[in-house]
Amino acid sequence: MGQTIRFGVSLDSDLLEKFDALCDERCYQTRSEAIRDLIRNTLVQQEWEDTGRDIAGTLTLVFDHHKSDLQQKLTEIQHDEHDLIITTLHVHLDHDNCLEVLVLKGAAERVRSLAQRLTSTRGVKHGKLSLTTTGQDLA
Ligand code: NI
């Protein structure tokens, strides 16, 4: 980590007022911490767009395990890309529905593609990919 540097920011007063309201709403103690998080978010989003770069994330799937072959299809797809999957968690939500969470890490393009394959499998009711960073390039 580098040294901390202070710098001034010029802002329109209306914009600053909105920013302060946002800081309050999101429980930031200081504007500096809010600005640091905004910068980190932008850098992480840039990582997602860089297809060759490693990213981490979670994919949450909800499906009915009674649908024919669905569980088997999902397992086959996961075995195809097993090196991207760090762990999985399976919860039986009720008599019919299952919730599965996959923790993923690997090249952005491959992670996204795996998530899309699983989510678009017939019978999957909902799939939600939540991307984050491996944290390696962030201070
Ligand atoms: Ni289940």
PDB file of all heavy atoms in Angstrom, residues 63-65 71 90-100, ligand 1:
ATOM      1  N   PHE A  63     -34.024 -23.491  -8.348  1.00  0.00           N
ATOM      2  CA  PHE A  63     -34.642 -24.397  -9.322  1.00  0.00           C
ATOM      3  C   PHE A  63     -35.469 -25.468  -8.609  1.00  0.00           C
ATOM      4  O   PHE A  63     -35.301 -25.710  -7.410  1.00  0.00           O
ATOM      5  CB  PHE A  63     -33.578 -25.042 -10.219  1.00  0.00           C
ATOM      6  CG  PHE A  63     -32.507 -25.791  -9.461  1.00  0.00           C
ATOM      7  CD1 PHE A  63     -32.652 -27.150  -9.195  1.00  0.00           C
ATOM      8  CD2 PHE A  63     -31.364 -25.155  -9.019  1.00  0.00           C
ATOM      9  CE1 PHE A  63     -31.671 -27.851  -8.505  1.00  0.00           C
ATOM     10  CE2 PHE A  63     -30.375 -25.846  -8.319  1.00  0.00           C
ATOM     11  CZ  PHE A  63     -30.535 -27.193  -8.062  1.00  0.00           C
ATOM     12  N   ASP A  64     -36.345 -26.075  -9.408  1.00  0.00           N
ATOM     13  CA  ASP A  64     -37.194 -27.160  -8.900  1.00  0.00           C
ATOM     14  C   ASP A  64     -36.506 -28.476  -9.217  1.00  0.00           C
ATOM     15  O   ASP A  64     -36.328 -28.819 -10.387  1.00  0.00           O
ATOM     16  CB  ASP A  64     -38.560 -27.065  -9.606  1.00  0.00           C
ATOM     17  CG  ASP A  64     -39.537 -28.126  -9.124  1.00  0.00           C
ATOM     18  OD1 ASP A  64     -39.090 -29.127  -8.524  1.00  0.00           O
ATOM     19  OD2 ASP A  64     -40.743 -27.946  -9.374  1.00  0.00           O
ATOM     20  N   HIS A  65     -36.124 -29.196  -8.205  1.00  0.00           N
ATOM     21  CA  HIS A  65     -35.344 -30.411  -8.450  1.00  0.00           C
ATOM     22  C   HIS A  65     -36.169 -31.538  -9.059  1.00  0.00           C
ATOM     23  O   HIS A  65     -35.622 -32.543  -9.497  1.00  0.00           O
ATOM     24  CB  HIS A  65     -34.642 -30.885  -7.154  1.00  0.00           C
ATOM     25  CG  HIS A  65     -35.572 -31.485  -6.162  1.00  0.00           C
ATOM     26  ND1 HIS A  65     -35.715 -32.841  -6.023  1.00  0.00           N
ATOM     27  CD2 HIS A  65     -36.426 -30.921  -5.285  1.00  0.00           C
ATOM     28  CE1 HIS A  65     -36.600 -33.087  -5.077  1.00  0.00           C
ATOM     29  NE2 HIS A  65     -37.052 -31.934  -4.625  1.00  0.00           N
ATOM     30  N   GLN A  71     -31.164 -31.372 -12.305  1.00  0.00           N
ATOM     31  CA  GLN A  71     -30.050 -31.471 -11.362  1.00  0.00           C
ATOM     32  C   GLN A  71     -28.826 -32.089 -12.039  1.00  0.00           C
ATOM     33  O   GLN A  71     -27.697 -31.625 -11.865  1.00  0.00           O
ATOM     34  CB  GLN A  71     -30.493 -32.331 -10.155  1.00  0.00           C
ATOM     35  CG  GLN A  71     -29.429 -32.501  -9.086  1.00  0.00           C
ATOM     36  CD  GLN A  71     -29.392 -31.345  -8.116  1.00  0.00           C
ATOM     37  OE1 GLN A  71     -30.334 -31.125  -7.360  1.00  0.00           O
ATOM     38  NE2 GLN A  71     -28.308 -30.592  -8.137  1.00  0.00           N
ATOM     39  N   HIS A  90     -25.738 -26.185  -1.238  1.00  0.00           N
ATOM     40  CA  HIS A  90     -27.079 -26.554  -1.690  1.00  0.00           C
ATOM     41  C   HIS A  90     -28.040 -26.518  -0.505  1.00  0.00           C
ATOM     42  O   HIS A  90     -27.767 -27.113   0.522  1.00  0.00           O
ATOM     43  CB  HIS A  90     -27.040 -27.961  -2.300  1.00  0.00           C
ATOM     44  CG  HIS A  90     -28.335 -28.379  -2.915  1.00  0.00           C
ATOM     45  ND1 HIS A  90     -28.519 -28.440  -4.285  1.00  0.00           N
ATOM     46  CD2 HIS A  90     -29.509 -28.723  -2.357  1.00  0.00           C
ATOM     47  CE1 HIS A  90     -29.760 -28.827  -4.532  1.00  0.00           C
ATOM     48  NE2 HIS A  90     -30.382 -28.999  -3.378  1.00  0.00           N
ATOM     49  N   VAL A  91     -29.119 -25.781  -0.680  1.00  0.00           N
ATOM     50  CA  VAL A  91     -30.130 -25.685   0.379  1.00  0.00           C
ATOM     51  C   VAL A  91     -31.467 -26.153  -0.190  1.00  0.00           C
ATOM     52  O   VAL A  91     -31.862 -25.721  -1.271  1.00  0.00           O
ATOM     53  CB  VAL A  91     -30.269 -24.219   0.873  1.00  0.00           C
ATOM     54  CG1 VAL A  91     -31.352 -24.110   1.926  1.00  0.00           C
ATOM     55  CG2 VAL A  91     -28.946 -23.701   1.396  1.00  0.00           C
ATOM     56  N   HIS A  92     -32.168 -27.024   0.513  1.00  0.00           N
ATOM     57  CA  HIS A  92     -33.509 -27.436   0.106  1.00  0.00           C
ATOM     58  C   HIS A  92     -34.485 -26.407   0.679  1.00  0.00           C
ATOM     59  O   HIS A  92     -34.761 -26.412   1.879  1.00  0.00           O
ATOM     60  CB  HIS A  92     -33.828 -28.827   0.638  1.00  0.00           C
ATOM     61  CG  HIS A  92     -32.737 -29.824   0.378  1.00  0.00           C
ATOM     62  ND1 HIS A  92     -32.277 -30.090  -0.893  1.00  0.00           N
ATOM     63  CD2 HIS A  92     -31.989 -30.583   1.212  1.00  0.00           C
ATOM     64  CE1 HIS A  92     -31.315 -30.994  -0.827  1.00  0.00           C
ATOM     65  NE2 HIS A  92     -31.108 -31.286   0.452  1.00  0.00           N
ATOM     66  N   LEU A  93     -34.966 -25.507  -0.173  1.00  0.00           N
ATOM     67  CA  LEU A  93     -35.800 -24.392   0.301  1.00  0.00           C
ATOM     68  C   LEU A  93     -37.149 -24.877   0.821  1.00  0.00           C
ATOM     69  O   LEU A  93     -37.643 -24.394   1.834  1.00  0.00           O
ATOM     70  CB  LEU A  93     -36.047 -23.395  -0.835  1.00  0.00           C
ATOM     71  CG  LEU A  93     -34.877 -22.513  -1.266  1.00  0.00           C
ATOM     72  CD1 LEU A  93     -35.291 -21.660  -2.456  1.00  0.00           C
ATOM     73  CD2 LEU A  93     -34.399 -21.643  -0.118  1.00  0.00           C
ATOM     74  N   ASP A  94     -37.748 -25.790   0.088  1.00  0.00           N
ATOM     75  CA  ASP A  94     -39.020 -26.392   0.501  1.00  0.00           C
ATOM     76  C   ASP A  94     -39.132 -27.738  -0.197  1.00  0.00           C
ATOM     77  O   ASP A  94     -38.140 -28.263  -0.692  1.00  0.00           O
ATOM     78  CB  ASP A  94     -40.208 -25.454   0.167  1.00  0.00           C
ATOM     79  CG  ASP A  94     -40.260 -25.070  -1.301  1.00  0.00           C
ATOM     80  OD1 ASP A  94     -39.864 -25.911  -2.159  1.00  0.00           O
ATOM     81  OD2 ASP A  94     -40.694 -23.954  -1.610  1.00  0.00           O
ATOM     82  N   HIS A  95     -40.320 -28.273  -0.300  1.00  0.00           N
ATOM     83  CA  HIS A  95     -40.494 -29.603  -0.901  1.00  0.00           C
ATOM     84  C   HIS A  95     -39.982 -29.659  -2.341  1.00  0.00           C
ATOM     85  O   HIS A  95     -39.420 -30.663  -2.781  1.00  0.00           O
ATOM     86  CB  HIS A  95     -41.967 -30.010  -0.851  1.00  0.00           C
ATOM     87  CG  HIS A  95     -42.206 -31.396  -1.364  1.00  0.00           C
ATOM     88  ND1 HIS A  95     -42.630 -31.657  -2.647  1.00  0.00           N
ATOM     89  CD2 HIS A  95     -42.025 -32.596  -0.766  1.00  0.00           C
ATOM     90  CE1 HIS A  95     -42.726 -32.963  -2.814  1.00  0.00           C
ATOM     91  NE2 HIS A  95     -42.373 -33.556  -1.692  1.00  0.00           N
ATOM     92  N   ASP A  96     -40.159 -28.570  -3.097  1.00  0.00           N
ATOM     93  CA  ASP A  96     -39.817 -28.567  -4.526  1.00  0.00           C
ATOM     94  C   ASP A  96     -38.539 -27.813  -4.864  1.00  0.00           C
ATOM     95  O   ASP A  96     -37.782 -28.220  -5.733  1.00  0.00           O
ATOM     96  CB  ASP A  96     -40.948 -27.904  -5.330  1.00  0.00           C
ATOM     97  CG  ASP A  96     -42.280 -28.576  -5.100  1.00  0.00           C
ATOM     98  OD1 ASP A  96     -42.307 -29.822  -5.145  1.00  0.00           O
ATOM     99  OD2 ASP A  96     -43.271 -27.863  -4.849  1.00  0.00           O
ATOM    100  N   ASN A  97     -38.342 -26.696  -4.210  1.00  0.00           N
ATOM    101  CA  ASN A  97     -37.310 -25.759  -4.646  1.00  0.00           C
ATOM    102  C   ASN A  97     -35.970 -25.928  -3.931  1.00  0.00           C
ATOM    103  O   ASN A  97     -35.911 -26.116  -2.725  1.00  0.00           O
ATOM    104  CB  ASN A  97     -37.797 -24.320  -4.438  1.00  0.00           C
ATOM    105  CG  ASN A  97     -38.959 -23.997  -5.336  1.00  0.00           C
ATOM    106  OD1 ASN A  97     -38.816 -23.971  -6.552  1.00  0.00           O
ATOM    107  ND2 ASN A  97     -40.129 -23.779  -4.750  1.00  0.00           N
ATOM    108  N   CYS A  98     -34.919 -25.809  -4.750  1.00  0.00           N
ATOM    109  CA  CYS A  98     -33.557 -25.853  -4.226  1.00  0.00           C
ATOM    110  C   CYS A  98     -32.890 -24.512  -4.489  1.00  0.00           C
ATOM    111  O   CYS A  98     -33.185 -23.846  -5.485  1.00  0.00           O
ATOM    112  CB  CYS A  98     -32.734 -26.903  -4.961  1.00  0.00           C
ATOM    113  SG  CYS A  98     -33.400 -28.558  -4.816  1.00  0.00           S
ATOM    114  N   LEU A  99     -32.000 -24.135  -3.614  1.00  0.00           N
ATOM    115  CA  LEU A  99     -31.170 -22.949  -3.818  1.00  0.00           C
ATOM    116  C   LEU A  99     -29.726 -23.417  -3.795  1.00  0.00           C
ATOM    117  O   LEU A  99     -29.319 -24.151  -2.892  1.00  0.00           O
ATOM    118  CB  LEU A  99     -31.423 -21.934  -2.702  1.00  0.00           C
ATOM    119  CG  LEU A  99     -30.618 -20.626  -2.773  1.00  0.00           C
ATOM    120  CD1 LEU A  99     -31.478 -19.476  -2.243  1.00  0.00           C
ATOM    121  CD2 LEU A  99     -29.348 -20.693  -1.950  1.00  0.00           C
ATOM    122  N   GLU A 100     -28.981 -23.019  -4.832  1.00  0.00           N
ATOM    123  CA  GLU A 100     -27.585 -23.405  -4.882  1.00  0.00           C
ATOM    124  C   GLU A 100     -26.733 -22.151  -5.019  1.00  0.00           C
ATOM    125  O   GLU A 100     -27.062 -21.268  -5.811  1.00  0.00           O
ATOM    126  CB  GLU A 100     -27.351 -24.353  -6.072  1.00  0.00           C
ATOM    127  CG  GLU A 100     -26.310 -25.412  -5.788  1.00  0.00           C
ATOM    128  CD  GLU A 100     -26.427 -26.602  -6.733  1.00  0.00           C
ATOM    129  OE1 GLU A 100     -25.799 -26.577  -7.788  1.00  0.00           O
ATOM    130  OE2 GLU A 100     -27.168 -27.551  -6.383  1.00  0.00           O
TER     131      GLU A 100
HETATM  132 NI    NI B   1     -32.482 -29.507  -2.868  1.00  0.00          NI
END
